[in-house]
Amino acid sequence: MPWRKIHLPLLWSSPRKAEDRLLVGTLDVVLDSSARVAPYRILHQTQDSQVYWAVACGSSRKEITKHWEWLENNLLQTLSIFDNEEDITTFVKGKIHGIIAEENKNQQPQSEEDPGKFKEAELKMRKQFGMPEVEKLVNYYSCSYWKGRVPRQGWLYLTVNHLCFYSFLLGKEVTLVIQWVDVTQLEKNATLLFPECIKVSTRDSELYFSMFLNINETFKLMEQLANIAMRQLLDNESFLQDKSLPKPRKPLKNISALKRDLDARAKNECYRATFRLPKDECLDGHTDCTLWTPFNKMHIPGQMFVSNNYICFASKAEEACHLIIPLREVTIVEKADSSSVLPSPLSISTKSKMTFFFANLKDRDFLVQRISDFLQRTPSKKPLSSDREWKWNLGDPGCEVLRIPELPSSSPLAVSPTSALSNRPVNFCAGEVPTASQGLLKLFRRNSEELLGPKGAKEKMKEESWNIHFFEYGRGMCMYRTTKTRELVQKGIPENLRGELWLLFSGAWNEMVTHPGYYADLVEKSMGKYNLATEEIERDLHRSMPEHPAFQNELGIAALRRVLTAYAFRNPTIGYCQAMNIVTSVLLLYCNEEEAFWLLVALCERMLPDYYNTRVVGALVDQGIFEELTREYLPQLSEKMQELGVISTISLSWFLTLFLSVMPFESAVVIVDCFFYEGIKFILQVSLAILDANVEKLLQCCDEGEAMTILGRYLDNVVNRQSVSPPIPHLHALLTSGDDPPLEIDIFDLIKTSYEKFSNLKADDIEQMRFKQRLKVIQSLEDTAKKSVVRAVSGDIGFSIEELEELYVVFKAKYLMSCYWGNNRAAAARRDQSLPYLEQYRIDMEQFKELFITLTPWSCGAHTPVLAGRLFRLLDENRDSLINFKEFVTGMSKCPQDYRYYLRMWAKEKESKKETIKDLPKMSQEQFIELCKTLYNMFSEDPVEQELYHAIATVASLLLRIGEVGKKFSNRPIRKSEDCKTNSSQDPVSEEESPTSEQSQNSTVEQQPRTDHEDKTCREVQPEKTEQENQTLGDGSGEGQGSPLQLLSDDETKDDMSMSSYSMVSTGSLQCEDIADDTVLVGCEGGSSAARYGSTIDTDWSISFEQILASMLTETALVNYFEKKVNILQKIKDQKKVERQFSSSSDYELSSVSG
């Protein structure tokens, strides 16, 4: 029904008086900047009334006519039964309102969570910007877009993949569509010209939006969507909505399910980063409360966070107290009596005999129920015993207790992670080098003299300090983490506790205990298998701390090999990256293999995200943050360092190896201690402290080498005088040693200075800067990739560098569009980032057809997909149904304007067989007719259409004569029926070798007579042979009559004809009436002269490729057509304007309706 094509919720408008009609458009614009008055409307107005009602509207005369026809058939005839005009108006209003209600009911599924007003805005967005239904709207905001110095009030639509803006003000229309993957910078700032605005930068423009009701919310959502787009460019991860998101307890006004999903993701990421939790942990909720801290006898205000596996607490005063309680450790959850002093208290007890007391909980009953639900789903590490039960103590109405059976109190699991695993023997590879059950440092301690001297006494004092801390604050995952904990870490972790505390502070312990046996299984699966990652690992094994005795023997080398190989198999996206071997070797000194593996997982996947991929994006991002911080804290030095280009050189080696490769081992390991507790924040502030300590010397440097030498000498002389381990020779120090005696710097003094001068760095600020730098780094890498690809293909291509760059952008956009608008995720799976840039983006035939139609000058009507398919198969040399950018531009550059390219292509294909171009497959009359049809369609609507029609008619007539003449000179020797039958049963290859092959040329032109019976028999055999050839090709054997190229061409030609819009029939019965009516075929002798209409095609007729080419070259119009230069840049601009308009014929027609 035509009425269904209108967006009905907007059809019915308020009544208008006749004298107000001139102001209608202006008033609508003022009230709604996106309300553009429809050019065609149907109004209802009675004779005696000054009020009219808008019934329908349309953007075209054709559309409004359909609406009127529907009204005539369904409404107007009924109006004649009413006696007065008021009844007519009431009926019309009721009828229209009923249609609107029914349409709204049909448009919005019962399962849809989005509110009606939001759904209306989403439909409006799709209509306005031509977006398909798979493009989801996240949210929309009223704002102003600054075009020059004039603000344009309108609506900003934020979708998963696009930023869109529309405004129609006082007759001026503004439409903007920007893909998030094209955004290079997002900033929120305030200037005199733009008061508190959001700046969106792309490679081509800078856009300013202001006058938001809630600019912080808008900017945060824009950042999140841009970050999702960057993840897509970085690791090919497309956005998938979380369908399992629970419904809100209270209905949310005008907030979509997708917006709630993104808000939940942002909270989850912040929650996991704050408490170092596994990446699959999802926050269920949080509430304000107080926590009783026994170490200072206080109730600390803060927030409790509850997720499916953890209960966490963070104090409002930063670093006053953090607490992590794994539900696997919980034994009792108890609701105590409330009092005026301590309302709604809740106590939680753990297996390690610790009790945590929370109070001031607003919704305690609901919270306890949620914790109870999660506890019931928490997997037990032991099989559930028959006496395991959940007991709610209901004897006292004010006290509820949830009891969980306890493990034996002597279990080391709740006390010390390291002791738990060190007592468990693990042998990952029987028959191989044995696996160390503890850190390698304990096995390869070269002497113990230091343990008996002053350094040993200092180490014992450190251990005693930590033991006191454990007694007061707890030990294990449930330890209270306060400023006291940080102070102890800054003073250095004792060697005996280093592995244990690294596991706790990094969160690796949580992942290890929840994945028992995972590492052993990985080792078993990965050992003995080889790939690029394992080759690189083997090459770097003996370069990992070769000066340490632990890695001068096979035990340490084998352990390092197993850990690195296991991780490469766990995360093939990263595989192995240089610097991972250095970090892992240090981890193995203090942890056993399984612990080192999970620490490596925490480093690569959570604490240093994207550091160890092929493009070290994470390190480049933090390098950008380091440069930004240098400009803020050391502005004078920043200019000098930027001039010398030093920061980009030093920061990568500092960050990737956590200073392990540039600083003596005994000192660098203290840096690692603080890093596991503080995160990247500490690495940045230590880096700033190093630059600050060398400001004067660096300002006097003349070149990069001198600055690198100064920093190298400084780092080489950072010493740890408290280390009980014998010093390990530092190879880097030998290269940077000078004549002057070095000035030693104590590592603990350096750490203290970094906290005194740069401790105001905040983790939230660093994450904000990471987003900003990630946009910059990834877009810079994409630009580098584009230049690399363009440089690689620009040699023998007919496009300029500028045209190639624009084509690359279009090609890449087409690939990305298939990732987030395709029905499946196959496109995302096609991108292998280990391949060269040229091979990473590849498109299939359907995508190629879309680009072919928009970018080539050939408009072939129904034959366009067929022609595009033929060209695609010609370009797809490796037959994987995908083409890369080089193959794409090869087709685009040669196809429209260089007919000679085909000669080179065919010659190259045949060169390996030492054949000539004359051996190309001949074209049958059926195929020739199809060629003529294609050419006629191609020339349609061309400026010189008639000249081209005349030229192709002349060429077709000439070729028909040539084909008829060729029949006379073809040699047809006598074949007996037995021979024909024998040949039909033989392998087609024998036909190629036979001297009687149809393609062989014989100097004798004598025609041998044949009997009617023999002729009939052989003709009956011919279709059978053709069927065998097609079957051979379908089996993929690549063998058949003639060359493989001939078979492929014939078979593909048949496939193409089956795709044609014309009704084709089998060979031997195709009617020539399929040819266009204005086609003139002359020159056919004898019976063929009457074959213009109604007769069958001559199966003996054929023509060669060189004959077609030579004939076409005789017509100037055809030569000019195929050699004319096409402005590809203009084609690309036109394509960008309409690339999203394929959904403009959607079922939803959004039109503004006014009286």
Side-chain angles (χ1 to χ4, degrees):
M1 182 173 63
W3 195 272
R4 300 287 181 178
K5 291 188 177 181
I6 311 175
H7 179 46
L8 292 172
L10 295 180
L11 285 180
W12 198 259
S13 68
S14 57
R16 308 282 190 186
K17 291 187 177 181
E19 56 265 25
D20 295 337
R21 295 177 186 176
L22 295 177
L23 300 177
V24 164
T26 305
L27 290 176
D28 281 338
V29 165
V30 172
L31 295 175
D32 183 1
S33 65
S34 63
R36 188 175 182 181
V37 179
Y40 298 93
R41 289 178 292 167
I42 298 175
L43 308 176
H44 172 72
Q45 184 180 19
T46 58
Q47 293 181 357
D48 299 333
S49 174
Q50 293 183 341
V51 176
Y52 68 81
W53 298 87
V55 176
C57 62
S59 58
S60 64
R61 187 181 184 88
K62 181 179 179 181
E63 181 182 355
I64 204 67
T65 302
K66 287 184 178 181
H67 300 331
W68 178 255
E69 291 174 354
W70 186 90
L71 290 172
E72 284 184 323
N73 297 329
N74 297 274
L75 193 65
L76 295 184
Q77 296 177 359
T78 312
L79 300 182
S80 60
I81 65 175
F82 295 99
D83 297 333
N84 57 64
E85 296 178 348
E86 291 183 2
D87 293 341
I88 293 177
T89 301
T90 303
F91 174 77
V92 172
K93 289 168 59 178
K95 183 71 173 178
I96 300 301
H97 279 305
I99 294 175
I100 292 174
E102 183 66 23
E103 185 68 12
N104 285 338
K105 181 179 179 181
N106 294 335
Q107 287 182 4
Q108 189 159 346
Q110 296 297 325
S111 59
E112 190 66 56
E113 298 181 12
D114 295 338
K117 188 175 181 181
F118 181 88
K119 199 68 180 175
E120 178 182 318
E122 185 173 38
L123 297 175
K124 193 172 186 179
M125 176 273 299
R126 290 177 184 162
K127 168 66 178 178
Q128 195 67 59
F129 304 102
M131 297 291 179
E133 291 189 10
V134 293
E135 181 69 0
K136 300 296 184 182
L137 177 66
V138 180
N139 212 348
Y140 62 101
Y141 303 93
S142 175
C143 68
S144 291
Y145 162 64
W146 291 81
K147 190 171 183 180
R149 295 186 178 182
V150 180
R152 300 283 184 178
Q153 183 66 27
W155 289 96
L156 181 70
Y157 298 89
L158 304 181
T159 73
V160 174
N161 302 294
H162 296 85
L163 179 152
C164 308
F165 176 83
Y166 181 77
S167 171
F168 187 78
L169 186 63
L170 300 177
K172 299 292 185 180
E173 185 180 34
V174 177
T175 303
L176 296 173
V177 178
I178 300 171
Q179 293 189 56
W180 290 117
V181 292
D182 294 332
V183 174
T184 58
Q185 189 176 18
L186 275 177
E187 287 183 310
K188 183 179 66 174
N189 50 30
T191 62
L192 293 176
L193 183 60
F194 305 115
E196 198 174 23
C197 65
I198 296 176
K199 175 184 174 184
V200 181
S201 301
T202 66
R203 293 177 177 84
D204 304 323
S205 60
E206 293 181 351
L207 310 175
Y208 293 88
F209 300 93
S210 65
M211 300 183 186
F212 291 94
L213 292 178
N214 191 339
I215 191 170
N216 293 325
E217 176 194 339
T218 308
F219 184 72
K220 184 177 179 181
L221 180 58
M222 293 171 72
E223 280 188 327
Q224 196 172 5
L225 293 171
N227 201 39
I228 291 173
M230 293 306 104
R231 299 304 313 179
Q232 185 180 17
L233 290 176
L234 180 60
D235 49 24
N236 223 28
E237 288 185 3
S238 53
F239 177 80
L240 292 176
Q241 184 177 354
D242 184 6
K243 299 294 185 180
S244 63
L245 194 68
K247 293 184 178 181
R249 297 173 64 186
K250 298 179 181 179
L252 301 175
K253 184 178 180 181
N254 293 335
I255 297 180
S256 66
L258 194 55
K259 177 67 164 59
R260 290 197 303 113
D261 180 19
L262 290 174
D263 289 343
R265 289 176 187 233
K267 291 179 180 178
N268 288 336
E269 290 174 2
C270 182
Y271 171 62
R272 290 191 292 260
T274 302
F275 299 103
R276 307 279 173 80
L277 299 178
K279 59 182 180 181
D280 57 349
E281 194 68 18
C282 294
L283 178 65
D284 185 71
H286 58 88
T287 183
D288 293 334
C289 67
T290 59
L291 172 66
W292 170 257
T293 50
F295 50 86
N296 60 2
K297 306 296 188 295
M298 292 178 60
H299 287 279
I300 299 180
Q303 281 192 322
M304 174 192 285
F305 301 85
V306 179
S307 60
N308 46 349
N309 293 297
Y310 298 90
I311 300 172
C312 301
F313 174 85
S315 60
K316 291 186 177 179
E318 188 178 4
E319 296 184 356
C321 181
H322 273 204
L323 179 65
I324 302 172
I325 308 174
L327 291 183
R328 62 178 182 271
E329 298 288 334
V330 174
T331 57
I332 299 175
V333 178
E334 180 179 2
K335 291 196 296 184
D337 292 332
S338 296
S339 66
S340 58
V341 179
L342 205 63
S344 302
L346 178 69
S347 67
I348 300 175
S349 301
T350 66
K351 298 172 184 177
S352 57
K353 306 301 181 182
M354 295 182 69
T355 300
F356 304 96
F357 199 75
F358 298 91
N360 293 284
L361 294 163
K362 294 182 179 179
D363 198 350
R364 184 179 62 170
D365 293 337
F366 177 77
L367 177 64
V368 171
Q369 183 59 46
R370 293 303 294 165
I371 295 175
S372 172
D373 295 340
F374 289 134
L375 281 171
Q376 293 180 31
R377 294 198 294 264
T378 301
S380 175
K381 295 169 57 176
K382 284 188 171 185
L384 290 177
S385 58
S386 59
D387 61 345
R388 179 185 177 104
E389 58 182 358
W390 301 84
K391 296 181 179 178
W392 289 93
N393 186 359
L394 302 178
D396 183 358
C399 177
E400 287 187 358
V401 181
L402 176 64
R403 298 184 183 275
I404 298 94
E406 302 179 13
L407 290 176
S409 59
S410 59
S411 172
L413 183 63
V415 179
S416 171
T418 304
S419 60
L421 288 181
S422 61
N423 294 333
R424 180 179 52 175
V426 181
N427 188 8
F428 298 114
C429 299
E432 296 287 338
V433 176
T435 302
S437 60
Q438 55 186 336
L440 296 176
L441 197 63
K442 296 180 180 179
L443 301 177
F444 293 93
R445 194 181 299 277
R446 286 184 286 188
N447 62 63
S448 58
E449 296 178 359
E450 297 287 351
L451 297 176
L452 303 176
K455 292 184 178 180
K458 184 72 172 177
E459 187 77 0
K460 289 294 183 181
M461 290 176 61
K462 285 184 181 180
E463 291 184 13
E464 187 62 26
S465 297
W466 276 98
N467 288 330
I468 296 174
H469 185 272
F470 291 149
F471 179 78
E472 294 182 356
Y473 296 84
R475 186 169 186 175
M477 262 336 280
C478 300
M479 176 175 62
Y480 293 98
R481 307 178 192 205
T482 67
T483 53
K484 178 67 174 177
T485 312
R486 189 183 69 180
E487 291 172 2
L488 286 177
V489 172
Q490 292 174 21
K491 295 176 181 179
I493 298 176
E495 289 191 353
N496 291 335
L497 297 176
R498 187 161 273 149
E500 173 187 346
L501 294 177
W502 283 1
L503 287 167
L504 293 179
F505 296 151
S506 66
W509 172 247
N510 286 322
E511 293 189 276
M512 184 169 61
V513 298
T514 54
H515 296 82
Y518 178 83
Y519 173 68
D521 293 340
L522 265 183
V523 171
E524 183 179 354
K525 293 176 182 178
S526 62
M527 295 308 290
K529 296 183 180 179
Y530 298 95
N531 52 31
L532 180 61
T534 57
E535 291 178 5
E536 294 177 348
I537 290 171
E538 289 297 327
R539 187 167 57 246
D540 288 347
L541 281 177
H542 295 279
R543 304 175 186 172
S544 309
M545 295 189 67
E547 63 276 9
H548 198 284
F551 298 99
Q552 294 171 357
N553 65 88
E554 189 57 30
L555 178 62
I557 294 296
L560 182 60
R561 177 188 293 113
R562 283 190 289 268
V563 173
L564 291 175
T565 305
Y567 185 78
F569 275 79
R570 166 189 166 86
N571 192 342
T573 302
I574 293 178
Y576 171 77
C577 176
Q578 285 188 347
M580 288 174 64
N581 59 320
I582 297 175
V583 175
T584 307
S585 61
V586 174
L587 300 179
L588 282 168
L589 290 177
Y590 299 98
C591 308
N592 65 35
E593 282 187 35
E594 186 174 13
E595 295 167 347
F597 170 80
W598 287 110
L599 277 170
L600 184 62
V601 170
L603 273 174
C604 296
E605 299 177 11
R606 289 189 288 108
M607 300 190 72
L608 297 176
D610 305 319
Y611 259 60
Y612 300 104
N613 55 27
T614 54
R615 298 190 282 183
V616 293
V617 171
L620 293 174
V621 168
D622 287 345
Q623 172 186 298
I625 295 176
F626 184 42
E627 293 180 1
E628 189 174 342
L629 293 174
T630 304
R631 286 193 294 271
E632 179 180 351
Y633 290 99
L634 305 169
Q636 187 178 3
L637 180 61
S638 174
E639 296 179 4
K640 184 68 175 182
M641 298 291 279
Q642 203 72 26
E643 176 186 343
L644 299 176
V646 175
I647 290 183
S648 60
T649 305
I650 60 175
S651 54
L652 280 182
S653 59
W654 293 3
F655 297 161
L656 280 171
T657 64
L658 304 176
F659 288 94
L660 290 167
S661 63
V662 295
M663 193 180 287
F665 169 75
E666 300 82 7
S667 304
V669 77
V670 181
I671 299 286
V672 178
D673 291 343
C674 298
F675 165 74
F676 277 123
Y677 188 79
E678 296 273 15
I680 192 62
K681 165 182 174 292
F682 177 75
I683 299 296
L684 291 170
Q685 70 183 36
V686 166
S687 301
L688 290 172
I690 293 171
L691 292 185
D692 183 60
N694 294 274
V695 168
E696 296 181 1
K697 294 181 180 179
L698 291 173
L699 289 175
Q700 298 175 2
C701 292
C702 299
D703 53 38
E704 178 186 0
E706 187 177 353
M708 292 291 294
T709 302
I710 291 172
L711 292 173
R713 287 179 180 174
Y714 179 87
L715 292 172
D716 290 335
N717 293 288
V718 176
V719 297
N720 181 2
R721 299 187 178 94
Q722 301 177 12
S723 175
V724 296
S725 298
I728 299 173
H730 189 221
L731 298 181
H732 189 265
L734 302 177
L735 303 177
T736 58
S737 60
D739 299 331
D740 300 330
L743 177 64
E744 292 185 344
I745 303 95
D746 189 88
I747 181 62
F748 298 104
D749 292 339
L750 177 62
I751 291 175
K752 183 179 178 181
T753 303
S754 72
Y755 275 100
E756 290 175 350
K757 292 187 175 182
F758 308 106
S759 61
N760 57 345
L761 291 178
K762 306 298 181 184
D764 293 341
D765 296 337
I766 291 175
E767 286 302 316
Q768 182 70 27
M769 288 189 286
R770 269 183 167 174
F771 164 76
K772 178 181 177 181
Q773 294 297 328
R774 189 179 293 115
L775 278 180
K776 181 179 178 181
V777 167
I778 294 180
Q779 295 293 13
S780 176
L781 290 173
E782 289 297 312
D783 290 341
T784 302
K786 178 175 69 174
K787 293 177 181 178
S788 175
V789 170
V790 168
R791 190 164 53 247
V793 303
S794 60
D796 190 31
I797 301 297
F799 292 117
S800 65
I801 297 296
E802 181 184 4
E803 291 172 336
L804 285 174
E805 289 181 350
E806 289 296 326
L807 280 172
Y808 179 81
V809 172
V810 173
F811 183 85
K812 175 181 160 186
K814 180 61 63 175
Y815 165 82
L816 292 175
M817 192 178 296
S818 68
C819 291
Y820 51 73
W821 281 356
N823 295 328
N824 53 54
R825 302 294 167 180
R830 295 201 299 258
R831 187 183 178 195
D832 184 358
Q833 295 193 358
S834 63
L835 296 174
Y837 290 134
L838 185 60
E839 295 286 342
Q840 287 190 15
Y841 295 114
R842 296 181 294 169
I843 60 175
D844 57 22
M845 182 181 291
E846 292 304 316
Q847 295 167 311
F848 175 78
K849 286 180 180 179
E850 295 174 10
L851 292 177
F852 179 86
I853 292 171
T854 55
L855 297 180
T856 60
W858 292 352
S859 178
C860 313
H863 270 56
T864 303
V866 179
L867 187 61
R870 292 172 181 170
L871 180 58
F872 181 88
R873 287 191 291 269
L874 182 65
L875 297 173
D876 183 18
E877 296 181 356
N878 58 357
R879 304 299 174 190
D880 63 349
S881 299
L882 298 170
I883 61 172
N884 59 30
F885 179 67
K886 183 175 183 180
E887 294 167 335
F888 169 72
V889 294
T890 298
M892 290 293 101
S893 64
K894 304 299 180 182
C895 180
Q897 49 222 6
D898 191 357
Y899 57 87
R900 292 179 293 273
Y901 170 71
Y902 288 105
L903 292 177
R904 294 197 295 271
M905 285 286 291
W906 288 113
K908 184 177 180 181
E909 291 276 351
K910 307 295 291 183
E911 185 177 356
S912 59
K913 295 181 176 296
K914 304 298 182 182
E915 297 173 350
T916 66
I917 197 170
K918 294 183 179 181
D919 294 315
L920 290 173
K922 291 191 175 183
M923 180 177 286
S924 66
Q925 196 172 68
E926 177 187 9
Q927 295 166 341
F928 176 70
I929 292 173
E930 276 297 304
L931 175 63
C932 291
K933 293 179 190 176
T934 303
L935 292 174
Y936 269 88
N937 281 289
M938 285 169 52
F939 301 151
S940 177
E941 299 182 6
D942 193 90
V944 290
E945 179 184 44
Q946 293 304 318
E947 295 181 22
L948 291 171
Y949 282 161
H950 184 271
I952 196 60
T954 304
V955 170
S957 301
L958 177 61
L959 289 172
L960 284 171
R961 291 193 187 96
I962 293 175
E964 291 298 324
V965 173
K967 284 174 55 179
K968 295 183 178 181
F969 291 92
S970 60
N971 186 13
R972 303 278 184 179
I974 296 177
R975 295 183 182 180
K976 296 181 180 181
S977 59
E978 297 83 10
D979 296 337
C980 294
K981 293 179 181 178
T982 302
N983 290 338
S984 66
S985 62
Q986 291 177 351
D987 186 89
V989 177
S990 62
E991 292 293 334
E992 181 181 358
E993 300 172 354
S994 172
T996 60
S997 175
E998 182 182 350
Q999 294 187 13
S1000 63
Q1001 298 295 329
N1002 198 314
S1003 58
T1004 305
V1005 295
E1006 179 181 359
Q1007 296 291 328
Q1008 298 288 344
R1010 78 167 65 175
T1011 63
D1012 294 341
H1013 173 74
E1014 293 171 357
D1015 183 78
K1016 180 179 179 182
T1017 304
C1018 288
R1019 287 181 181 272
E1020 290 175 352
V1021 173
Q1022 185 67 27
E1024 181 182 352
K1025 183 168 66 174
T1026 305
E1027 184 178 349
Q1028 289 179 354
E1029 291 173 356
N1030 292 338
Q1031 184 178 358
T1032 302
L1033 180 63
D1035 295 338
S1037 60
E1039 297 179 0
Q1041 181 181 4
S1043 64
L1045 180 61
Q1046 175 183 348
L1047 273 180
L1048 188 61
S1049 175
D1050 292 343
D1051 188 70
E1052 288 179 350
T1053 303
K1054 289 181 172 60
D1055 290 342
D1056 289 341
M1057 287 187 287
S1058 66
M1059 296 165 59
S1060 173
S1061 60
Y1062 295 87
S1063 299
M1064 305 298 296
V1065 290
S1066 61
T1067 303
S1069 61
L1070 178 68
Q1071 303 296 319
C1072 289
E1073 61 193 14
D1074 289 328
I1075 303 176
D1077 293 339
D1078 56 352
T1079 305
V1080 180
L1081 300 179
V1082 296
C1084 301
E1085 298 182 5
S1088 62
S1089 62
R1092 187 176 168 192
Y1093 296 102
S1095 61
T1096 60
I1097 286 183
D1098 191 347
T1099 57
D1100 294 329
W1101 187 95
S1102 64
I1103 200 82
S1104 66
F1105 175 77
E1106 59 268 25
Q1107 289 170 334
I1108 296 175
L1109 183 61
S1111 301
M1112 295 184 71
L1113 290 175
T1114 61
E1115 293 293 329
T1116 305
L1118 294 177
V1119 173
N1120 292 339
Y1121 178 83
F1122 288 104
E1123 284 191 331
K1124 64 183 177 183
K1125 179 68 175 177
V1126 177
N1127 187 350
I1128 194 67
L1129 294 179
Q1130 186 61 42
K1131 286 277 186 182
I1132 292 173
K1133 290 181 181 179
D1134 296 339
Q1135 190 262 352
K1136 288 181 178 179
K1137 291 179 181 179
V1138 299
E1139 62 184 357
R1140 285 176 295 274
Q1141 297 303 319
F1142 59 84
S1143 64
S1144 59
S1145 59
S1146 171
D1147 291 339
Y1148 308 109
E1149 293 290 332
L1150 291 175
S1151 303
S1152 305
V1153 189
S1154 56

